Amino acid sequence: MLTRRSTLGLLAATAILPSRAFAHVAPPRNEIRDTLAKRFTDLGTSGTFVGYKVEDYLIVASDKERSGEAKLPASTFKIPNSLIALETGVVVDPDKDVFPWDGVKRPIEAWNKDHTLRSAIAVSAVPVYQEIARRIGQERMQKYVDLFDYGNRDIGGGIDQFWLTGALRIDPVEQIDFVDRLRRRALPISKRSQDLVADILPVTKVGDSIIRAKSGLLGAERGQPSLGWMVGWAEKGEAHTVFALNMDCTEPRLVGERMPLTQACLAEIGAV
């Protein structure tokens, strides 16, 4: 199995990505599939997909370049934010602790109501997670972002903005590394927190397969989308595939293509 940060080093060792930290394990098989890249161009956009088929020890990527480019995580940061909220006690119960609506009408109607952690992650309620981040505070947030070795670990730009407009950056392979550690309950926090976050992740069923994933959309809170994410893992029987996709979403029609494109890429590599 891949161990902490090893995906990054293994990809670097096989020249898929720029040099990164290496792990003392045998490298997995890996491949670049142009047919995956073509799915983005066929949609009239640019993007990247990386999948790690755990049991096959196989990394499949659409390209060598963009898969290593770090971007703002947008609402995919709700995964670590939820973990930190539970671990610090800012949220005790994801189904019972309520974050009251502040009364401010926002363009996404689903945000304009009271939320629990479970309902907030389901509709990607940015204001709720901004309040969670403020309650966590700068010091504790930095501590856990460092513990998770999450992206560039830079939370500059405001405690409730750093993942939206601030300094935090993460690339698709780093996303896979982080999400795989959550999937394996290998993050350096309690198993309870990891179990709860894995449980509240939105689920999409595809035939006999399940996809647990979190979307992200830069500019969603301003009504000016620019970059879309989808990160998580697929379960097909006993087989698991961890994945990360990002794509330019400068046209409204592309926002809704994130999950269909993710499913198509996962189907192509036999993950669903």
Side-chain angles (χ1 to χ4, degrees):
M1 293 177 65
L2 285 180
T3 54
R4 184 175 175 273
R5 303 294 286 182
S6 59
T7 308
L8 312 186
L10 296 170
L11 282 170
T14 51
I16 288 178
L17 291 180
S19 179
R20 295 186 184 276
F22 286 77
H24 300 292
V25 292
R29 295 177 299 119
N30 65 91
E31 58 186 78
I32 301 292
R33 289 196 190 174
D34 294 337
T35 50
L36 291 171
K38 187 175 183 296
R39 293 185 180 275
F40 293 93
T41 55
D42 285 351
L43 274 177
T45 190
S46 298
T48 187
F49 173 86
V50 183
Y52 166 48
K53 300 190 74 177
V54 176
E55 285 73 25
D56 294 341
Y57 217 48
L58 173 67
I59 296 167
V60 184
S62 62
D63 64 276
K64 293 181 181 180
E65 293 77 29
R66 183 158 171 160
S67 55
E69 293 176 6
K71 313 278 188 184
L72 276 158
S75 283
T76 65
F77 188 74
K78 286 185 173 69
I79 301 175
N81 208 356
S82 297
L83 290 165
I84 298 166
L86 288 161
E87 195 69 7
T88 58
V90 166
V91 175
V92 176
D93 189 318
D95 293 303
K96 294 181 180 177
D97 292 11
V98 175
F99 292 83
W101 177 40
D102 61 9
V104 177
K105 286 283 284 185
R106 295 177 175 88
I108 298 176
E109 188 59 37
W111 295 0
N112 301 325
K113 57 181 286 189
D114 296 352
H115 277 289
T116 61
L117 194 67
R118 187 184 297 274
S119 69
I121 200 169
V123 300
S124 206
V126 169
V128 173
Y129 276 86
Q130 289 179 308
E131 175 60 22
I132 286 171
R134 289 190 289 267
R135 294 187 190 183
I136 291 168
Q138 190 84 13
E139 185 176 342
R140 290 193 295 183
M141 185 70 79
Q142 186 67 68
K143 170 188 170 182
Y144 283 99
V145 168
D146 286 341
L147 268 179
F148 295 163
D149 203 3
Y150 187 89
N152 67 355
R153 310 193 306 189
D154 189 341
I155 65 169
I159 187 61
D160 57 3
Q161 287 291 329
F162 65 86
W163 68 93
L164 299 168
T165 60
L168 189 62
R169 298 290 186 276
I170 190 166
D171 69 42
V173 180
E174 290 171 327
Q175 289 269 30
I176 285 175
D177 168 67
F178 171 72
V179 170
D180 189 54
R181 284 183 280 145
L182 169 60
R183 182 190 66 83
R184 294 186 286 113
R185 310 301 194 263
L187 290 166
I189 56 172
S190 69
K191 183 176 181 293
R192 175 184 182 270
S193 295
Q194 296 177 80
D195 285 344
L196 288 172
V197 172
D199 181 62
I200 67 173
L201 277 178
V203 170
T204 301
K205 294 185 178 180
V206 183
D208 60 353
S209 301
I210 291 175
I211 300 172
R212 302 181 192 276
K214 184 68 196 77
S215 62
L217 187 64
L218 282 184
E221 70 284 356
R222 301 187 305 276
Q224 299 172 324
S226 57
L227 175 82
W229 280 101
M230 193 66 70
V231 304
W233 69 89
E235 303 170 5
K236 183 180 182 181
E238 296 300 311
H240 298 80
T241 301
V242 190
F243 64 87
L245 172 146
N246 72 44
M247 58 187 281
D248 297 339
C249 289
T250 53
E251 300 176 52
R253 67 178 178 87
L254 295 169
V255 174
E257 294 290 345
R258 289 169 297 167
M259 179 53 86
L261 183 54
T262 296
Q263 290 183 34
C265 290
L266 288 169
E268 179 171 328
I269 67 173
V272 295

